[in-house]
Amino acid sequence: MPPKPPPSTSARRGPRRGQDIEGEATIDFTDAVEGVTVTMQTVSDEACGACSGTGAKSGTLPKVCPTCQGSGMETSTSGGVFAVSEPCHDCRGRGLIVEEPCPVCGGSGRGRSTRSMQVRIPAGVTDGQRIRIKGKGGAGENGGAPGDLYVLVHVRPHKLFGRKGDNLTLTVPVTFTEAALGAEVSVPTLNGQRVTLKIGPGTPNGRTFRVRGRGVHKNDGSTGDLLVTVEVQVPNQLNDTAKEALESFAAALGDADPRSSLYA
């Protein structure tokens, strides 16, 4: 039987998936809620442009490793019973021997590539979240699929709004009179529009109201809510007329002690 010819370079090395790469992006609070497209600079390990990934000097070609016949693996037996496969010690698992290495990559066949790309950050992303962008990583070899890009997202805080899951939070100051008698107050939303919030009579400090549909966009297409917490403001200065009015108010309430339950 004639000897089996050594495998060609293309037959030896099948498709290999590209490497995953990582990056970071810092976005505004509003962009995290609504989604945004950002420009990112990424660095990945790709085929050397000087040798087209062969690792050999221009004008030359690597040779099939005679030790492993291009498989990149060697098989040995342990005690005559177990067969152990390990990377070939001559070609270090590549299956090829480079006699004249490429001066750019030193024979590795790989190089560093820097590129700029547009990356879509989805709506609802949170600070510190790591998102996966499929197919935006390093290029594959021999027709292999590209790797993925993992982006660590940092979100700048907002001066007014906070976040609790898919809901936005907002603290709104109200006067003592508005809290006691009830009122309709105008409050801002994240998109700049205003909504009217109805506060019932006798609203205590710290009560939270829910404004439907003014929160974070969810994956299912729905939207979270805006949670508005009222903060009753106590005036630090009173003129004579206001002071007399409050004294009359206190007298009208009588001697009810709001702290009586503390000593029951």
Side-chain angles (χ1 to χ4, degrees), residues 89-124:
H89 67 279
D90 285 337
C91 66
R92 298 180 182 179
R94 292 191 65 195
L96 298 174
I97 297 293
V98 178
E99 295 180 340
E100 296 185 64
C102 169
V104 177
C105 66
S108 69
R110 309 300 293 174
R112 305 295 285 177
S113 173
T114 302
R115 58 177 174 160
S116 177
M117 69 176 73
Q118 298 293 107
V119 175
R120 180 65 184 176
I121 306 296

Side-chain angles (χ1 to χ4, degrees), residues 18 80 86 107 139 151 164 166 180 192 205-206 208 210 262:
E86 57 186 359
V151 182
K164 184 181 293 185
D166 293 322
N205 180 62
T208 298
R210 184 181 298 268
L262 299 178

Side-chain angles (χ1 to χ4, degrees), residues 46-93:
E46 297 185 352
C48 172
C51 65
S52 300
T54 66
K57 182 180 177 180
S58 178
T60 67
L61 290 173
K63 297 180 179 180
V64 175
C65 174
T67 303
C68 66
Q69 294 296 302
S71 68
M73 302 296 292
E74 286 185 287
T75 302
S76 59
T77 57
S78 176
V81 179
F82 299 103
V84 179
S85 294
E86 57 186 359
C88 175
H89 67 279
D90 285 337
C91 66
R92 298 180 182 179

Side-chain angles (χ1 to χ4, degrees), residues 70-256:
S71 68
M73 302 296 292
E74 286 185 287
T75 302
S76 59
T77 57
S78 176
V81 179
F82 299 103
V84 179
S85 294
E86 57 186 359
C88 175
H89 67 279
D90 285 337
C91 66
R92 298 180 182 179
R94 292 191 65 195
L96 298 174
I97 297 293
V98 178
E99 295 180 340
E100 296 185 64
C102 169
V104 177
C105 66
S108 69
R110 309 300 293 174
R112 305 295 285 177
S113 173
T114 302
R115 58 177 174 160
S116 177
M117 69 176 73
Q118 298 293 107
V119 175
R120 180 65 184 176
I121 306 296
V125 68
T126 58
D127 182 47
Q129 184 174 343
R130 189 169 175 260
I131 62 173
R132 174 192 177 201
I133 312 297
K134 189 176 181 180
K136 292 295 185 179
E141 295 183 50
N142 299 322
D148 299 331
L149 169 64
Y150 289 88
V151 182
L152 178 63
V153 181
H154 304 285
V155 181
R156 299 184 185 96
H158 196 279
K159 64 180 182 179
L160 291 179
F161 295 92
R163 184 170 173 180
K164 184 181 293 185
D166 293 322
N167 298 322
L168 298 180
T169 61
L170 176 67
T171 298
V172 174
V174 297
T175 66
F176 170 76
T177 305
E178 290 172 329
L181 300 180
E184 292 185 353
V185 298
S186 176
V187 298
T189 60
L190 188 62
N191 62 11
Q193 297 179 345
R194 296 185 179 187
V195 295
T196 299
L197 181 67
K198 186 175 182 180
I199 300 174
T203 296
N205 180 62
R207 173 166 291 179
T208 298
F209 296 85
R210 184 181 298 268
V211 181
R212 301 284 181 182
R214 297 289 182 166
V216 180
H217 298 293
K218 303 179 185 179
N219 293 331
D220 61 3
S222 61
T223 306
D225 302 327
L226 173 62
L227 306 179
V228 181
T229 301
V230 297
E231 186 177 74
V232 180
Q233 302 291 297
V234 178
N236 53 20
Q237 289 185 343
L238 295 172
N239 57 32
D240 292 339
T241 303
K243 186 176 180 180
E244 290 176 2
L246 283 178
E247 289 174 345
S248 299
F249 169 74
L253 285 181
D255 296 330

